Amino acid sequence: MFRIAYVNGRYLPHAAARVHVEDRGYQFADGVYEVCEVRHGRLVDERRHLDRLARSLSELRIAMPLARAALGVVMRETVRKNRVRDGIVYLQVTRGVASRDHGFPPPGTRPSLVVTARAIDPVKQAALAEAGIAVVTVPDNRWERVDIKSIALLPNVLARQAARDRGAREAWFVDQDGLVTEGSATNAWIVTAAGRIVTRPAEFGILRGITRAVVLEIAAKQGLKVEERPFSVAESHAAREAFATAASQIVMPVVEIDGRPIGDGRPGPVARALRARFHDSAECS
Ligand code: PLP
């Protein structure tokens, strides 16, 4: 399909979209990103994603590349030009192009902004959610600032590949105490035998997922019992249900962890219901 990418002020054919070799994203992974779901041609939870983008940038002392309203316009225009009805829009900001030197570049160096969009087949996604996914656990070997949505994703890349190598779709990171932190690109959840929904608190050690925040709101509205606390790998193996959340897949039931079936080995009712109700609570604009 003919695709268009936004690169520093210009909409370019995807095949011709380039950043400079001395872009600090390329040289140092010195940048951040966001992924927003596109549903029926509209952006899902744009406000929260742009809030998190602003926070990630400010933590790294990178300037916003454009005013928020202008960013919204570029995201929508990229979605429109790519004719994406359902899928994702990806936005990346780096510290810009400068002669290679680890310290910050000279004042006035403009951040680089890239925006792309791509379609995801909702029928295929629904089929995947109907089947549920397998997860494997891997040691969490990331830096401490995983609350920043940084493009430095090497541990996540290796974890996701480890999952693939073991026939699974996602890897859950496990800290030194045997507690699950989060997935390589998702937040991790279980439902205990007593029916309590458990997910790790987001103060530190995980990304504050936007989907996670919306799911917590839905659970609260429905009067479901939620515990924000770390859970162990053993607890996840014994869970009644498990699921993963992310903007690109909403609520994805997990039916197997480390080769062991979770519950009856099929997507559970809590995950299914949260998935079904997600867009009633998410903001679409
Ligand atoms: N955790 C990690 C490490 C992620 O990369 C992501 C999404 O990319 C998430 C959690 C889920 O975040 P969100 O729900 O905002 O997509």
Side-chain angles (χ1 to χ4, degrees), residues 23-38:
D23 189 282
R24 290 181 63 97
Y26 180 64
Q27 294 278 349
F28 296 116
D30 188 359
V32 302
Y33 73 107
E34 274 299 327
V35 176
C36 220
E37 186 197 5
V38 179

Side-chain angles (χ1 to χ4, degrees), residues 33 49 52 149 156 182-187 207 209-211 245-247:
Y33 73 107
H49 283 282
R52 186 172 63 186
K149 202 164 165 63
N156 310 59
E182 63 182 328
S184 72
T186 54
N187 288 116
L207 184 75
I210 306 301
T211 319
T245 57

Side-chain angles (χ1 to χ4, degrees), residues 185-226:
T186 54
N187 288 116
W189 307 67
I190 56 168
V191 182
T192 66
R196 290 178 180 271
I197 300 173
V198 183
T199 194
R200 194 177 176 105
E203 277 89 56
F204 67 94
I206 65 167
L207 184 75
R208 291 170 204 172
I210 306 301
T211 319
R212 176 186 181 281
V214 175
V215 165
L216 285 175
E217 281 178 15
I218 301 171
K221 266 192 239 156
Q222 309 240 319
L224 300 172
K225 296 193 180 85
V226 177

